[in-house]
Amino acid sequence: MDDPHLPPPPPSLPAEETTAKGPETVSSPPRVALGPVGVPPPPPPPPPPLFMPVPPEAPPIESKRVLAGVTAILFGFIGLHKFILGYTGEGVVMLLVTFIGGFCTAGVSILATATIGFIEGIVYLSKSDAEFVREYQVGRKEWF
């Protein structure tokens, strides 16, 4: 009855080997604890980087000290130096005081705004570029 087309049966183990081993166990995949809704927990966060990247430095601000100082001395009565520094409101105030106030006070307010401009020009030119940028361009100090 041996059929030549059938594979041979597996060899049998002796009786002592089969009883000493016990039942075979099949490993199962690890169990995952599910959350209250049956959703697996989120993956753990990635490990921190080995080094902290340094943010790029902002480009240095170009000082407008000389331009604003000379303009304040020459054209301070109309507030042109305020517009150069980006202080539009203060520049408009100086323009209005010069023209409207000059008309109403027969030119006395023009003398006041010219004096303010001259003093501000001297103050601007007496500072270093770093001080000027820190106080007037970054810190936005509006008067004197």
Side-chain angles (χ1 to χ4, degrees), residues 4-5 11 17 22 44 51 58 74 78 92 98 110 114 119 134:
H5 299 292
E17 287 185 22
F51 65 94
L74 298 177
I78 59 173
V92 170
T98 298
I110 296 173
I119 292 170
R134 184 177 60 249

Side-chain angles (χ1 to χ4, degrees), residues 36-63:
V37 196
V39 178
L50 297 177
F51 65 94
M52 295 301 293
V54 177
E57 290 187 22
I61 298 174
E62 184 178 340
S63 176

Side-chain angles (χ1 to χ4, degrees), residues 45-102:
L50 297 177
F51 65 94
M52 295 301 293
V54 177
E57 290 187 22
I61 298 174
E62 184 178 340
S63 176
K64 298 178 181 179
R65 179 181 65 89
V66 175
L67 178 63
V70 171
T71 307
I73 291 172
L74 298 177
F75 303 105
F77 64 98
I78 59 173
L80 186 58
H81 61 288
K82 297 292 188 182
F83 291 106
I84 289 173
L85 292 174
Y87 302 142
T88 308
E90 290 77 11
V92 170
V93 166
M94 289 189 79
L95 274 173
L96 292 176
V97 168
T98 298
F99 291 113
I100 295 174

Side-chain angles (χ1 to χ4, degrees), residues 111-135:
L111 183 63
T113 55
T115 304
I116 290 172
F118 183 78
I119 292 170
E120 283 187 333
I122 297 300
V123 169
Y124 293 166
L125 293 174
S126 67
K127 296 199 177 284
S128 69
D129 280 340
E131 280 181 314
F132 182 81
V133 168
R134 184 177 60 249
E135 286 184 26

Side-chain angles (χ1 to χ4, degrees), residues 21 24 26-27 33 45 109 114 118 123 128 131:
K21 248 186 170 182
E24 286 188 34
V26 177
S27 64
S109 65
F118 183 78
V123 169
S128 69
E131 280 181 314

